[in-house]
Amino acid sequence: MNMSAEKPEVIKEASMLKQKEMITRNYDDLTSARETGRKVSSTYVPGNLNELLMCFGILNNLPEINAIQNGMRKQSGAMIMDAEKSGHSEDVCTYVKADIGHMARGSIAPNGKSMPVPDLLLLNYTGCFTFLKWFELLRDEYGCRTQMLHVPYEGDGKITTNMRDYVVRQLKEEVIPTLEEVSGVKFDIDRLRENLRLSAKAEDDFVWVLESAKNKPSPIDAYFGGVYYVGPIFTAFRGTEDAVEYYKLLRSEIEQRIADGKGPITPEGEMGEEKYRLVVEGPPNWTSFREFWKMFYDEGAVVVSSTYTKVGGVYDFDGFRHDPDHPLESLADYCLGCYTNRNLPTRVDMVEKAMHDYQADGFLVNSIKSCNSFAAGELMMMREIETRTGKPAAFIETDLVDPRYFSPANVKNRLESYFQMIDQKRQSGRAA
Ligand code: SF4
């Protein structure tokens, strides 16, 4: 029963509790690494090599995820101010500044303990130049070993044999030897195959979950809810039995919602009537996540597909799955194909396909002030999608983890006028 007059109690399904337990355990493993003797690598979300790290027993610490956690717990604002005071410009990606400020305050994890200094910075460079600069800063601070995996940009919209070979060669000649040295464990390709087999299993259920939004009403929200659904697959759990179980559980819950004709669960409770089906581009705002989601909930707007659920790796556009029969090649393809590494024409094609496949009423861009990698070209994307689909598009601007750039009144106004625009378009469509 909800005893609060202000906010309803959040419904917790079994899959949510399972994911919470996985995250807690992972932070406990990270913060006790010095006592247990386990090695720690910091690495990025897009195109990460979790299955490979696991072959060496190395723990995977993802600075973007730490920034998101601090954003959702409303602690990132002060960390960003600290970083700015120490000379980092206002224009720098706020994940970076939140991370720098977090470090200056002792790198405290959500369990209240300090994160260890990483043994390795594994720089999986997948399309965003900030990744390079960010790890340069961390290397200066920690003085620890750095290993780069250079992933060529998909400038022509496809992966060539040369590109794949180039990544595989780096994996064999540079990345794996470094991981062997740091961990003292010899590489075993059969262990990698087994991890990849588990990845592919979880990925099948994950894609099923995303595609469940083709139902009307959609049983999921593929943006706000989507950020929870991508959690295990994009972070430290891909390639584990835990991730396989999580997605199996999630799938069974969603199957039940479809059978019951229900919409998504939101923090405000069950979604009522589905009035608008949207495709959304760009990451969400984390510091006012619940308030932002409520603006959609209040209007009956459900996000049926989002590009954010492709940011770590793309599974639902061209059918990629990790492949135990081609282990290193499939790691290379995963890195090459992640959303940050795709060119603008491919991103437009992805959105256009989603607009058709998910029968969306409109396209919304949430442009992130401090993320130049994503934001560049988004206005062009918006116009192109309007032209190709004839559906109305809209543009709002927020930030990732800097609370100064979330203006609730502006965002709400923009969204309300956008929903009116969709209504008018529908009426004129009926009148024609
Ligand atoms: S992709 Fe955007 S949010 Fe991520 S590191 Fe690059 S600039 Fe920052």
Side-chain angles (χ1 to χ4, degrees):
M1 188 178 164
N2 173 27
M3 303 297 286
S4 152
E6 302 258 294
K7 287 184 176 173
E9 221 168 74
V10 177
I11 304 168
K12 292 273 183 213
E13 290 205 300
S15 64
M16 299 180 194
L17 297 172
K18 164 94 186 147
Q19 181 169 167
K20 192 163 181 243
E21 178 264 310
M22 287 157 69
I23 293 171
T24 304
R25 191 157 21 95
N26 191 50
Y27 273 117
D28 287 344
D29 285 347
L30 282 166
T31 53
S32 61
R34 289 297 158 257
E35 293 98 79
T36 57
R38 294 192 65 183
K39 302 293 179 193
V40 175
S41 162
S42 280
T43 194
Y44 293 114
V45 170
N48 72 57
L49 300 170
N50 196 52
E51 299 90 343
L52 188 63
L53 287 170
M54 282 175 16
C55 293
F56 303 92
I58 298 178
L59 294 165
N60 185 353
N61 177 28
L62 298 140
E64 295 132 303
I65 302 297
N66 299 334
I68 291 172
Q69 290 277 351
N70 287 325
M72 290 182 111
R73 292 156 72 226
K74 302 203 183 291
Q75 295 179 351
S76 54
M79 294 170 181
I80 290 169
M81 304 271 260
D82 283 355
E84 287 179 0
K85 274 186 214 138
S86 65
H88 296 278
S89 143
E90 261 203 46
D91 296 330
V92 169
C93 165
T94 50
Y95 279 166
V96 179
K97 286 188 288 186
D99 191 39
I100 300 286
H102 182 224
M103 202 161 58
R105 290 169 175 237
S107 299
I108 306 297
N111 62 7
K113 297 180 185 160
S114 271
M115 302 280 265
V117 169
D119 300 283
L120 175 71
L121 297 172
L122 177 57
L123 170 50
N124 46 323
Y125 175 72
T126 46
C128 172
F129 193 67
T130 301
F131 289 152
L132 282 172
K133 301 313 268 171
W134 189 348
F135 270 10
E136 273 176 20
L137 292 167
L138 296 195
R139 185 174 57 183
D140 284 352
E141 185 66 29
Y142 293 134
C144 67
R145 187 158 179 177
T146 314
Q147 177 62 56
M148 175 156 169
L149 176 68
H150 178 238
V151 177
Y153 187 62
E154 266 199 45
D156 293 329
K158 56 179 190 298
I159 300 173
T160 64
T161 309
N162 275 349
M163 286 156 79
R164 182 179 298 114
D165 290 350
Y166 173 64
V167 177
V168 168
R169 199 167 64 237
Q170 290 175 77
L171 289 171
K172 279 186 187 157
E173 294 175 6
E174 295 171 41
V175 177
I176 291 173
T178 299
L179 295 174
E180 286 182 324
E181 259 181 61
V182 168
S183 64
V185 175
K186 191 102 193 78
F187 177 54
D188 175 358
I189 199 155
D190 290 328
R191 194 167 167 194
L192 178 61
R193 286 184 208 280
E194 179 53 21
N195 295 345
L196 295 175
R197 193 184 61 73
L198 293 174
S199 295
K201 221 168 156 184
E203 286 158 0
D204 279 342
D205 279 340
F206 169 62
V207 171
W208 185 92
V209 166
L210 293 181
E211 292 185 343
S212 72
K214 289 178 184 168
N215 286 279
K216 285 189 178 178
S218 168
I220 63 161
D221 184 286
Y223 187 50
F224 298 103
V227 306
Y228 295 100
Y229 305 149
V230 299
I233 212 107
F234 285 175
T235 63
F237 306 103
R238 206 182 53 251
T240 66
E241 293 281 5
D242 263 333
V244 173
E245 275 170 39
Y246 167 79
Y247 286 104
K248 203 168 144 204
L249 192 57
L250 178 63
R251 179 174 173 160
S252 69
E253 289 165 358
I254 292 169
E255 278 169 346
Q256 191 56 52
R257 300 191 72 72
I258 295 171
D260 297 342
K262 285 184 172 171
I265 297 179
T266 83
E268 312 309 318
E270 302 266 356
M271 187 79 178
E273 186 198 347
E274 177 187 277
K275 294 194 191 134
Y276 309 100
R277 295 169 65 85
L278 304 178
V279 173
V280 174
E281 150 74 11
N285 165 272
W286 301 108
T287 47
S288 299
F289 186 80
R290 184 165 174 180
E291 191 181 356
F292 192 24
W293 191 349
K294 187 171 183 305
M295 291 176 193
F296 290 71
Y297 168 85
D298 287 342
E299 298 284 343
V302 177
V303 180
V304 287
S305 179
S306 72
T307 56
Y308 190 69
T309 55
K310 304 181 198 315
V311 78
V314 177
Y315 300 102
D316 56 340
F317 179 64
D318 31 27
F320 171 83
R321 298 289 183 276
H322 282 95
D323 178 1
D325 294 331
H326 303 93
L328 297 181
E329 293 75 11
S330 91
L331 287 179
D333 283 357
Y334 183 61
C335 297
L336 285 157
C338 66
Y339 192 68
T340 47
N341 206 46
R342 303 271 187 140
N343 67 7
L344 267 176
T346 311
R347 284 167 63 190
V348 173
D349 290 344
M350 283 180 183
V351 172
E352 185 191 8
K353 184 171 184 316
M355 293 286 294
H356 288 299
D357 291 354
Y358 291 82
Q359 297 184 48
D361 301 304
F363 175 53
L364 177 73
V365 176
N366 180 32
S367 188
I368 296 298
K369 184 194 170 287
S370 65
C371 173
N372 295 327
S373 291
F374 262 91
E378 278 176 338
L379 272 175
M380 181 284 284
M381 281 178 86
M382 195 180 97
R383 296 287 167 238
E384 188 63 22
I385 292 298
E386 276 181 326
T387 310
R388 289 191 196 180
T389 66
K391 298 279 164 78
F395 195 88
I396 53 174
E397 195 179 39
T398 70
D399 191 56
L400 298 164
V401 289
D402 190 338
R404 292 171 298 182
Y405 297 110
F406 186 80
S407 164
N410 278 347
V411 173
K412 199 169 170 25
N413 271 344
R414 281 278 181 100
L415 288 175
E416 281 170 5
S417 357
Y418 179 48
F419 295 131
Q420 281 169 13
M421 200 159 96
I422 295 179
D423 287 338
Q424 278 163 7
K425 188 97 186 172
R426 275 183 184 151
Q427 276 159 15
S428 60
R430 273 199 288 269

